[in-house]
Amino acid sequence: MPSPDIGESRDFYRDRLGFDVIGPEMDDYLIVRRGEIEIHFWKTDDRKLPEVTSCYIRGGEVPALHAEFSARGVERLSSFTARPWNMKEFYIHDPHGNLLRFGCAPEET
């Protein structure tokens, strides 16, 4: 995912969402991991690019993640809701506007 500030992305994903930083710290690339979720970030000078970027994270731990993020007071966290396409989802925007969409089938909750 694009990031205009790798350090700010690192701090948000590590400190607010509980991800671990993987590999050596670099100014232009970041890898974070939490369980089986791994997200890669690359440095961009285009501040609008993250505002039009998203990723979808699917798995059985989605309900627990939403509960944890709610308890942590994560900003820009949506409700955990069944969507018309038969997925139960929640969303988070990171500090740069990247949209993280977390989802699972209703029977996985």
Side-chain angles (χ1 to χ4, degrees), residues 10-31:
R10 178 201 61 226
D11 293 349
F12 176 77
Y13 284 86
R14 181 190 63 205
D15 302 340
R16 300 298 295 148
L17 301 185
F19 281 77
D20 294 319
V21 176
I22 305 301
E25 297 233 6
M26 297 177 271
D27 294 334
D28 61 350
Y29 204 80
L30 170 69
I31 303 170

PDB file of all heavy atoms in Angstrom, residues 10-31:
ATOM      1  N   ARG A  10       4.269   3.055  10.116  1.00  0.00           N
ATOM      2  CA  ARG A  10       4.810   2.085  11.082  1.00  0.00           C
ATOM      3  C   ARG A  10       4.202   2.306  12.473  1.00  0.00           C
ATOM      4  O   ARG A  10       3.718   1.372  13.103  1.00  0.00           O
ATOM      5  CB  ARG A  10       6.332   2.219  11.145  1.00  0.00           C
ATOM      6  CG  ARG A  10       6.988   1.294  12.166  1.00  0.00           C
ATOM      7  CD  ARG A  10       8.370   1.764  12.585  1.00  0.00           C
ATOM      8  NE  ARG A  10       8.253   3.084  13.209  1.00  0.00           N
ATOM      9  CZ  ARG A  10       9.048   4.112  12.939  1.00  0.00           C
ATOM     10  NH1 ARG A  10      10.020   4.025  12.056  1.00  0.00           N
ATOM     11  NH2 ARG A  10       8.850   5.265  13.548  1.00  0.00           N
ATOM     12  N   ASP A  11       4.222   3.541  12.927  1.00  0.00           N
ATOM     13  CA  ASP A  11       3.712   3.841  14.264  1.00  0.00           C
ATOM     14  C   ASP A  11       2.231   3.503  14.390  1.00  0.00           C
ATOM     15  O   ASP A  11       1.795   2.937  15.396  1.00  0.00           O
ATOM     16  CB  ASP A  11       3.946   5.304  14.612  1.00  0.00           C
ATOM     17  CG  ASP A  11       5.422   5.650  14.754  1.00  0.00           C
ATOM     18  OD1 ASP A  11       6.275   4.732  14.788  1.00  0.00           O
ATOM     19  OD2 ASP A  11       5.728   6.866  14.814  1.00  0.00           O
ATOM     20  N   PHE A  12       1.431   3.835  13.385  1.00  0.00           N
ATOM     21  CA  PHE A  12      -0.004   3.559  13.438  1.00  0.00           C
ATOM     22  C   PHE A  12      -0.287   2.062  13.475  1.00  0.00           C
ATOM     23  O   PHE A  12      -1.030   1.579  14.332  1.00  0.00           O
ATOM     24  CB  PHE A  12      -0.725   4.194  12.234  1.00  0.00           C
ATOM     25  CG  PHE A  12      -2.185   3.854  12.177  1.00  0.00           C
ATOM     26  CD1 PHE A  12      -3.093   4.485  13.011  1.00  0.00           C
ATOM     27  CD2 PHE A  12      -2.672   2.899  11.293  1.00  0.00           C
ATOM     28  CE1 PHE A  12      -4.446   4.172  12.965  1.00  0.00           C
ATOM     29  CE2 PHE A  12      -4.010   2.576  11.235  1.00  0.00           C
ATOM     30  CZ  PHE A  12      -4.903   3.213  12.079  1.00  0.00           C
ATOM     31  N   TYR A  13       0.312   1.329  12.549  1.00  0.00           N
ATOM     32  CA  TYR A  13       0.027  -0.107  12.482  1.00  0.00           C
ATOM     33  C   TYR A  13       0.594  -0.851  13.695  1.00  0.00           C
ATOM     34  O   TYR A  13      -0.033  -1.785  14.198  1.00  0.00           O
ATOM     35  CB  TYR A  13       0.531  -0.693  11.160  1.00  0.00           C
ATOM     36  CG  TYR A  13      -0.390  -0.330  10.022  1.00  0.00           C
ATOM     37  CD1 TYR A  13      -0.235   0.880   9.344  1.00  0.00           C
ATOM     38  CD2 TYR A  13      -1.443  -1.139   9.655  1.00  0.00           C
ATOM     39  CE1 TYR A  13      -1.098   1.247   8.322  1.00  0.00           C
ATOM     40  CE2 TYR A  13      -2.311  -0.780   8.645  1.00  0.00           C
ATOM     41  CZ  TYR A  13      -2.138   0.419   7.985  1.00  0.00           C
ATOM     42  OH  TYR A  13      -3.007   0.780   6.982  1.00  0.00           O
ATOM     43  N   ARG A  14       1.736  -0.444  14.179  1.00  0.00           N
ATOM     44  CA  ARG A  14       2.344  -1.078  15.351  1.00  0.00           C
ATOM     45  C   ARG A  14       1.621  -0.673  16.633  1.00  0.00           C
ATOM     46  O   ARG A  14       1.178  -1.525  17.403  1.00  0.00           O
ATOM     47  CB  ARG A  14       3.826  -0.695  15.432  1.00  0.00           C
ATOM     48  CG  ARG A  14       4.569  -1.329  16.607  1.00  0.00           C
ATOM     49  CD  ARG A  14       5.940  -0.731  16.791  1.00  0.00           C
ATOM     50  NE  ARG A  14       5.803   0.691  17.107  1.00  0.00           N
ATOM     51  CZ  ARG A  14       6.735   1.595  16.871  1.00  0.00           C
ATOM     52  NH1 ARG A  14       7.879   1.261  16.305  1.00  0.00           N
ATOM     53  NH2 ARG A  14       6.531   2.863  17.181  1.00  0.00           N
ATOM     54  N   ASP A  15       1.478   0.632  16.866  1.00  0.00           N
ATOM     55  CA  ASP A  15       0.986   1.121  18.153  1.00  0.00           C
ATOM     56  C   ASP A  15      -0.533   1.110  18.274  1.00  0.00           C
ATOM     57  O   ASP A  15      -1.054   0.877  19.366  1.00  0.00           O
ATOM     58  CB  ASP A  15       1.506   2.533  18.408  1.00  0.00           C
ATOM     59  CG  ASP A  15       3.026   2.604  18.402  1.00  0.00           C
ATOM     60  OD1 ASP A  15       3.688   1.551  18.574  1.00  0.00           O
ATOM     61  OD2 ASP A  15       3.554   3.720  18.215  1.00  0.00           O
ATOM     62  N   ARG A  16      -1.247   1.359  17.191  1.00  0.00           N
ATOM     63  CA  ARG A  16      -2.710   1.425  17.264  1.00  0.00           C
ATOM     64  C   ARG A  16      -3.382   0.095  16.900  1.00  0.00           C
ATOM     65  O   ARG A  16      -4.393  -0.252  17.471  1.00  0.00           O
ATOM     66  CB  ARG A  16      -3.253   2.529  16.347  1.00  0.00           C
ATOM     67  CG  ARG A  16      -2.743   3.919  16.678  1.00  0.00           C
ATOM     68  CD  ARG A  16      -3.134   4.412  18.064  1.00  0.00           C
ATOM     69  NE  ARG A  16      -4.586   4.562  18.123  1.00  0.00           N
ATOM     70  CZ  ARG A  16      -5.296   4.371  19.231  1.00  0.00           C
ATOM     71  NH1 ARG A  16      -4.719   4.044  20.353  1.00  0.00           N
ATOM     72  NH2 ARG A  16      -6.597   4.506  19.216  1.00  0.00           N
ATOM     73  N   LEU A  17      -2.804  -0.631  15.933  1.00  0.00           N
ATOM     74  CA  LEU A  17      -3.458  -1.855  15.465  1.00  0.00           C
ATOM     75  C   LEU A  17      -2.757  -3.133  15.925  1.00  0.00           C
ATOM     76  O   LEU A  17      -3.241  -4.226  15.650  1.00  0.00           O
ATOM     77  CB  LEU A  17      -3.579  -1.851  13.934  1.00  0.00           C
ATOM     78  CG  LEU A  17      -4.367  -0.690  13.317  1.00  0.00           C
ATOM     79  CD1 LEU A  17      -4.508  -0.895  11.817  1.00  0.00           C
ATOM     80  CD2 LEU A  17      -5.721  -0.513  13.978  1.00  0.00           C
ATOM     81  N   GLY A  18      -1.621  -3.026  16.587  1.00  0.00           N
ATOM     82  CA  GLY A  18      -0.968  -4.205  17.162  1.00  0.00           C
ATOM     83  C   GLY A  18      -0.204  -5.069  16.186  1.00  0.00           C
ATOM     84  O   GLY A  18       0.012  -6.256  16.452  1.00  0.00           O
ATOM     85  N   PHE A  19       0.228  -4.518  15.066  1.00  0.00           N
ATOM     86  CA  PHE A  19       1.048  -5.265  14.116  1.00  0.00           C
ATOM     87  C   PHE A  19       2.504  -5.233  14.558  1.00  0.00           C
ATOM     88  O   PHE A  19       2.937  -4.305  15.245  1.00  0.00           O
ATOM     89  CB  PHE A  19       0.941  -4.650  12.712  1.00  0.00           C
ATOM     90  CG  PHE A  19      -0.303  -5.022  11.962  1.00  0.00           C
ATOM     91  CD1 PHE A  19      -1.525  -4.416  12.259  1.00  0.00           C
ATOM     92  CD2 PHE A  19      -0.261  -5.960  10.952  1.00  0.00           C
ATOM     93  CE1 PHE A  19      -2.672  -4.745  11.553  1.00  0.00           C
ATOM     94  CE2 PHE A  19      -1.403  -6.300  10.233  1.00  0.00           C
ATOM     95  CZ  PHE A  19      -2.611  -5.694  10.541  1.00  0.00           C
ATOM     96  N   ASP A  20       3.257  -6.235  14.153  1.00  0.00           N
ATOM     97  CA  ASP A  20       4.701  -6.263  14.359  1.00  0.00           C
ATOM     98  C   ASP A  20       5.376  -5.777  13.091  1.00  0.00           C
ATOM     99  O   ASP A  20       4.912  -6.056  11.980  1.00  0.00           O
ATOM    100  CB  ASP A  20       5.193  -7.691  14.657  1.00  0.00           C
ATOM    101  CG  ASP A  20       4.668  -8.212  15.988  1.00  0.00           C
ATOM    102  OD1 ASP A  20       4.643  -7.443  16.959  1.00  0.00           O
ATOM    103  OD2 ASP A  20       4.282  -9.399  16.037  1.00  0.00           O
ATOM    104  N   VAL A  21       6.486  -5.063  13.262  1.00  0.00           N
ATOM    105  CA  VAL A  21       7.286  -4.635  12.118  1.00  0.00           C
ATOM    106  C   VAL A  21       8.216  -5.777  11.751  1.00  0.00           C
ATOM    107  O   VAL A  21       8.894  -6.341  12.606  1.00  0.00           O
ATOM    108  CB  VAL A  21       8.090  -3.357  12.456  1.00  0.00           C
ATOM    109  CG1 VAL A  21       9.003  -2.974  11.308  1.00  0.00           C
ATOM    110  CG2 VAL A  21       7.137  -2.218  12.804  1.00  0.00           C
ATOM    111  N   ILE A  22       8.235  -6.136  10.473  1.00  0.00           N
ATOM    112  CA  ILE A  22       9.022  -7.264   9.983  1.00  0.00           C
ATOM    113  C   ILE A  22      10.200  -6.745   9.171  1.00  0.00           C
ATOM    114  O   ILE A  22      10.044  -5.857   8.350  1.00  0.00           O
ATOM    115  CB  ILE A  22       8.152  -8.184   9.087  1.00  0.00           C
ATOM    116  CG1 ILE A  22       6.904  -8.640   9.832  1.00  0.00           C
ATOM    117  CG2 ILE A  22       8.950  -9.367   8.567  1.00  0.00           C
ATOM    118  CD1 ILE A  22       7.155  -9.389  11.112  1.00  0.00           C
ATOM    119  N   GLY A  23      11.353  -7.336   9.392  1.00  0.00           N
ATOM    120  CA  GLY A  23      12.529  -7.003   8.588  1.00  0.00           C
ATOM    121  C   GLY A  23      13.194  -5.722   9.033  1.00  0.00           C
ATOM    122  O   GLY A  23      12.784  -5.089   9.995  1.00  0.00           O
ATOM    123  N   PRO A  24      14.193  -5.335   8.300  1.00  0.00           N
ATOM    124  CA  PRO A  24      14.926  -4.122   8.664  1.00  0.00           C
ATOM    125  C   PRO A  24      14.082  -2.879   8.409  1.00  0.00           C
ATOM    126  O   PRO A  24      13.257  -2.858   7.495  1.00  0.00           O
ATOM    127  CB  PRO A  24      16.140  -4.151   7.733  1.00  0.00           C
ATOM    128  CG  PRO A  24      15.689  -4.937   6.555  1.00  0.00           C
ATOM    129  CD  PRO A  24      14.733  -5.967   7.097  1.00  0.00           C
ATOM    130  N   GLU A  25      14.271  -1.863   9.240  1.00  0.00           N
ATOM    131  CA  GLU A  25      13.567  -0.597   9.031  1.00  0.00           C
ATOM    132  C   GLU A  25      14.212   0.126   7.853  1.00  0.00           C
ATOM    133  O   GLU A  25      15.426   0.240   7.770  1.00  0.00           O
ATOM    134  CB  GLU A  25      13.640   0.245  10.298  1.00  0.00           C
ATOM    135  CG  GLU A  25      12.944  -0.439  11.458  1.00  0.00           C
ATOM    136  CD  GLU A  25      11.914   0.437  12.130  1.00  0.00           C
ATOM    137  OE1 GLU A  25      11.640   1.546  11.644  1.00  0.00           O
ATOM    138  OE2 GLU A  25      11.398  -0.007  13.150  1.00  0.00           O
ATOM    139  N   MET A  26      13.369   0.577   6.923  1.00  0.00           N
ATOM    140  CA  MET A  26      13.835   1.286   5.738  1.00  0.00           C
ATOM    141  C   MET A  26      13.019   2.565   5.586  1.00  0.00           C
ATOM    142  O   MET A  26      11.889   2.647   6.060  1.00  0.00           O
ATOM    143  CB  MET A  26      13.665   0.405   4.497  1.00  0.00           C
ATOM    144  CG  MET A  26      14.498  -0.867   4.532  1.00  0.00           C
ATOM    145  SD  MET A  26      14.192  -1.918   3.091  1.00  0.00           S
ATOM    146  CE  MET A  26      12.810  -2.911   3.696  1.00  0.00           C
ATOM    147  N   ASP A  27      13.574   3.538   4.917  1.00  0.00           N
ATOM    148  CA  ASP A  27      12.872   4.801   4.698  1.00  0.00           C
ATOM    149  C   ASP A  27      11.808   4.707   3.618  1.00  0.00           C
ATOM    150  O   ASP A  27      10.907   5.534   3.578  1.00  0.00           O
ATOM    151  CB  ASP A  27      13.864   5.901   4.306  1.00  0.00           C
ATOM    152  CG  ASP A  27      14.820   6.236   5.430  1.00  0.00           C
ATOM    153  OD1 ASP A  27      14.474   6.033   6.608  1.00  0.00           O
ATOM    154  OD2 ASP A  27      15.929   6.710   5.118  1.00  0.00           O
ATOM    155  N   ASP A  28      11.924   3.699   2.742  1.00  0.00           N
ATOM    156  CA  ASP A  28      11.030   3.656   1.588  1.00  0.00           C
ATOM    157  C   ASP A  28      10.186   2.385   1.486  1.00  0.00           C
ATOM    158  O   ASP A  28       9.463   2.207   0.514  1.00  0.00           O
ATOM    159  CB  ASP A  28      11.817   3.849   0.300  1.00  0.00           C
ATOM    160  CG  ASP A  28      12.874   2.763   0.086  1.00  0.00           C
ATOM    161  OD1 ASP A  28      13.126   1.975   1.013  1.00  0.00           O
ATOM    162  OD2 ASP A  28      13.435   2.719  -1.019  1.00  0.00           O
ATOM    163  N   TYR A  29      10.256   1.508   2.491  1.00  0.00           N
ATOM    164  CA  TYR A  29       9.479   0.266   2.443  1.00  0.00           C
ATOM    165  C   TYR A  29       9.223  -0.212   3.867  1.00  0.00           C
ATOM    166  O   TYR A  29      10.075  -0.058   4.744  1.00  0.00           O
ATOM    167  CB  TYR A  29      10.226  -0.821   1.669  1.00  0.00           C
ATOM    168  CG  TYR A  29       9.310  -1.879   1.090  1.00  0.00           C
ATOM    169  CD1 TYR A  29       8.613  -1.651  -0.079  1.00  0.00           C
ATOM    170  CD2 TYR A  29       9.145  -3.097   1.731  1.00  0.00           C
ATOM    171  CE1 TYR A  29       7.764  -2.615  -0.618  1.00  0.00           C
ATOM    172  CE2 TYR A  29       8.302  -4.072   1.207  1.00  0.00           C
ATOM    173  CZ  TYR A  29       7.616  -3.822   0.028  1.00  0.00           C
ATOM    174  OH  TYR A  29       6.767  -4.781  -0.484  1.00  0.00           O
ATOM    175  N   LEU A  30       8.036  -0.769   4.091  1.00  0.00           N
ATOM    176  CA  LEU A  30       7.645  -1.248   5.416  1.00  0.00           C
ATOM    177  C   LEU A  30       6.827  -2.516   5.265  1.00  0.00           C
ATOM    178  O   LEU A  30       5.956  -2.599   4.388  1.00  0.00           O
ATOM    179  CB  LEU A  30       6.796  -0.174   6.114  1.00  0.00           C
ATOM    180  CG  LEU A  30       6.086  -0.561   7.410  1.00  0.00           C
ATOM    181  CD1 LEU A  30       7.107  -0.786   8.530  1.00  0.00           C
ATOM    182  CD2 LEU A  30       5.086   0.527   7.802  1.00  0.00           C
ATOM    183  N   ILE A  31       7.103  -3.492   6.113  1.00  0.00           N
ATOM    184  CA  ILE A  31       6.289  -4.709   6.183  1.00  0.00           C
ATOM    185  C   ILE A  31       5.815  -4.848   7.619  1.00  0.00           C
ATOM    186  O   ILE A  31       6.614  -4.803   8.562  1.00  0.00           O
ATOM    187  CB  ILE A  31       7.087  -5.965   5.786  1.00  0.00           C
ATOM    188  CG1 ILE A  31       7.659  -5.817   4.380  1.00  0.00           C
ATOM    189  CG2 ILE A  31       6.196  -7.210   5.877  1.00  0.00           C
ATOM    190  CD1 ILE A  31       8.646  -6.913   4.006  1.00  0.00           C
TER     191      ILE A  31
END
